[in-house]
Amino acid sequence: MEVFDKAELWSRDEIAHAQLTRLKTTIGRAAKCDFYGKRLADAGISAENFNDLSKLADLPFTTKDDLREQYPTGLLCVPKNEIVRMHCSSGTTGNPVAICHTRNDINSWADLMARCMFMVGVRSNDVFQNMSGYGLFTGGLGIHFGAERLGCMTIPAGAGNSRRQLKLVRDFGTTVVHILPSYALILAENLIEMGEDPRQIPIRIALVGAEPYTDAFRRRIEDLFDLKVYNSFGLSEMNGPGVAFECPEQNGLHIWEDAYIPEIIDPVTGKPCADGEIGELVLTSLCREGMPVLRYRTRDLTRFLPGDCVCGRRHRRMDRILGRADDMFIVKGVNIYPMQIEKVLMSFPEVGKNYLILLENDGIGDVLRVQVEIEKQHFVEDMRALHGLRDTIARRLRDEILVTPRVELVEGNTLLRAEGKAVRVVDNRKPK
């Protein structure tokens, strides 16, 4: 097997040895800032006495609120003159989360991203077009540097402006893109409106992430463009993209355990989940100098996939992100995740490319409305057929989420589009 980095093929023993060695170093680095220094001292943990990975749970959790409270540089573990870049989250209220990187941090991040891209077949002769936002958002520069590390011709197109994106694809023969899943469907719509077949453009690989989406949604993108879609996972607190990535098997994302220690915990109790059990992903950085982060509660819901991957890599696999613990909403006492609704909708061939979940209150109780676009050829004048489809979708949703929604079928391309992350849920309920 051809790999970018020999660490991809490490055995479980080699991975565990590297994790312990690097975690001891990380604990020593983290202790240099007051925040972690006090927490580690209170837990009686130091780089010298931490000698067993099974003791990982003795380390304290870190939360997003912790990171916000330490804004801007409370978690800095090196002199400020060693920092070469800062990224931060896009929070609109209160302090954002700021992560500072040394030169070595940037280089190791680029190597991890190049490893991900090489694994799915990206090579130096590819033309890579980054349709992601740049600036403080990590998704743009993170994947950009990985593509350049591989030697690809790299086009920093940025987000939006679909006609310009498509012109660049045609003019420069783009073969690999980084794109939001919802925006991929917008691009397909633009091509179809221009009388073109999306399957005729040269893109062969799409790297997709930043918003949750189902496997059925992925297959729609692949079928529309005749390409392969690979799921990417990352978060600013752990650098950005490159934390985990699908291999060509498209059966779970390999978490690069030489750079991160993953855990999956019950989001209520904090106790570890068994393989296959859905819980909250917790990550510890192992190679960061500027701002190491210990046992960060991501709020992302996923599960470890049991067994080894047939690709030969022994780095653990996690399932695609199934939602966020804070994305859950409650209707009539039932916990519901948006991805449950998307999974049902995308199983219907009549359903189009967009949907919207509306939460309202009718004066008596909560109401769940689901607006669903229907493909043009199925949006017919036969009202009996449309009502039948509407009722079937409602029944399938009730079976999945245990609440009967009000399903509204609308014509294709009529719901609001966003060229950034898709807006799937609008909560119009008044606070009680």
Side-chain angles (χ1 to χ4, degrees):
M1 181 196 308
E2 189 180 13
V3 296
F4 180 81
D5 188 327
K6 62 183 181 181
E8 291 179 55
L9 299 181
W10 279 354
S11 67
R12 291 305 309 173
D13 285 345
E14 289 172 309
I15 290 171
H17 175 75
Q19 285 184 330
L20 180 58
T21 301
R22 293 175 182 182
L23 181 56
K24 287 170 67 70
T25 300
T26 295
I27 290 171
R29 286 174 179 152
K32 294 177 183 177
C33 75
D34 291 342
F35 173 79
Y36 277 127
K38 184 177 186 308
R39 287 195 165 193
L40 291 167
D42 289 346
I45 295 172
S46 68
E48 291 73 29
N49 68 18
F50 191 89
N51 295 306
D52 190 342
L53 283 175
S54 68
K55 302 296 185 183
L56 181 66
D58 293 343
L59 294 171
F61 287 121
T62 305
T63 67
K64 188 177 285 286
D65 285 342
D66 292 330
L67 300 186
R68 284 176 172 152
E69 289 169 5
Q70 298 303 313
Y71 177 89
T73 56
L75 289 174
L76 201 61
C77 296
V78 299
K80 193 179 289 187
N81 63 4
E82 293 184 24
I83 297 299
V84 299
R85 192 195 301 167
M86 182 277 291
H87 284 281
C88 74
S89 66
S90 55
T92 55
T93 59
N95 286 335
V97 172
I99 301 294
C100 298
H101 303 271
T102 66
R103 173 63 60 194
N104 286 339
D105 292 340
I106 294 298
N107 286 336
S108 64
W109 181 12
D111 284 340
L112 282 175
M113 197 62 243
R115 181 195 297 187
C116 297
M117 298 173 73
F118 191 92
M119 177 170 63
V120 297
V122 183
R123 297 294 184 268
S124 60
N125 60 351
D126 277 302
V127 177
F128 171 72
Q129 187 165 326
N130 198 359
M131 300 182 183
S132 175
Y134 280 74
L136 293 173
F137 173 61
T138 58
L141 283 171
I143 289 190
H144 179 113
F145 273 68
E148 288 189 344
R149 183 61 52 89
L150 284 180
C152 300
M153 177 181 175
T154 302
I155 303 173
N161 199 335
S162 300
R163 290 187 178 269
R164 183 189 64 181
Q165 298 280 9
L166 292 170
K167 178 174 174 56
L168 292 170
V169 168
R170 297 186 198 94
D171 292 348
F172 292 93
T174 300
T175 54
V176 182
V177 296
H178 175 220
I179 191 170
L180 290 171
S182 56
Y183 187 53
L185 296 187
I186 291 174
L187 275 190
E189 288 173 1
N190 274 264
L191 283 164
I192 293 168
E193 287 171 4
M194 290 186 285
E196 297 186 43
D197 181 356
R199 299 168 69 88
Q200 298 305 311
I201 62 175
I203 301 172
R204 65 185 187 88
I205 292 174
L207 315 178
V208 175
E211 59 186 24
Y213 69 108
T214 61
D215 200 54
F217 202 100
R218 181 235 294 271
R219 299 303 173 198
R220 287 198 174 199
I221 298 171
E222 291 186 329
D223 291 343
L224 274 168
F225 287 96
D226 189 25
L227 49 69
K228 298 296 287 185
V229 171
Y230 295 102
N231 202 6
S232 167
F233 173 76
L235 61 163
S236 299
E237 295 84 353
M238 293 291 136
N239 291 344
V243 174
F245 218 84
E246 283 184 322
C247 69
E249 298 299 321
Q250 295 179 304
N251 185 24
L253 296 91
H254 290 279
I255 305 172
W256 299 126
E257 293 182 90
D258 55 317
Y260 306 98
I261 297 180
E263 306 168 71
I264 293 179
I265 64 167
D266 183 304
V268 176
T269 67
K271 300 298 182 183
C273 292
D275 284 6
E277 185 178 347
I278 294 172
E280 178 185 349
L281 179 65
V282 174
L283 291 167
T284 296
S285 68
L286 293 176
C287 300
R288 265 236 303 270
E289 296 176 339
M291 282 188 174
V293 179
L294 302 175
R295 300 195 77 207
Y296 180 66
R297 296 190 62 161
T298 68
R299 308 302 291 163
D300 288 317
L301 299 173
T302 184
R303 60 185 178 132
F304 285 132
L305 297 179
D308 292 330
C309 183
V310 298
C311 79
R313 295 172 180 84
R314 295 294 175 258
H315 295 260
R316 298 195 76 175
R317 291 172 299 142
M318 70 178 202
D319 203 350
R320 64 178 54 245
I321 298 301
L322 306 172
R324 288 182 56 81
D326 40 15
D327 279 348
M328 183 191 76
F329 55 85
I330 301 174
V331 175
K332 298 180 180 179
V334 177
N335 297 345
I336 301 172
Y337 293 95
M339 291 293 286
Q340 293 176 277
I341 293 175
E342 180 177 297
K343 181 177 73 172
V344 171
L345 297 181
M346 291 299 123
S347 69
F348 286 87
E350 299 92 344
V351 169
K353 304 173 181 65
N354 206 5
Y355 66 92
L356 184 63
I357 301 165
L358 296 166
L359 305 175
E360 299 171 340
N361 190 289
D362 62 3
I364 301 173
D366 290 341
V367 175
L368 171 62
R369 291 170 55 205
V370 181
Q371 296 180 332
V372 187
E373 288 186 353
I374 299 300
E375 295 283 6
K376 185 176 181 179
Q377 65 270 29
H378 298 290
F379 202 82
V380 294
E381 294 182 0
D382 185 346
M383 296 307 295
R384 288 179 301 176
L386 287 176
H387 288 166
L389 176 61
R390 178 198 63 194
D391 294 344
T392 301
I393 292 174
R395 284 196 301 271
R396 291 275 297 278
L397 286 171
R398 181 196 60 204
D399 292 344
E400 173 68 26
I401 63 177
L402 307 180
V403 171
T404 301
R406 296 180 184 175
V407 175
E408 300 169 8
L409 306 184
V410 301
E411 203 167 352
N413 302 325
T414 56
L415 294 179
L416 181 66
R417 294 293 196 271
E419 292 199 335
K421 289 187 180 182
V423 176
R424 297 301 192 196
V425 181
V426 176
D427 193 342
N428 292 322
R429 296 174 293 184
K430 293 181 180 179
K432 296 179 180 178

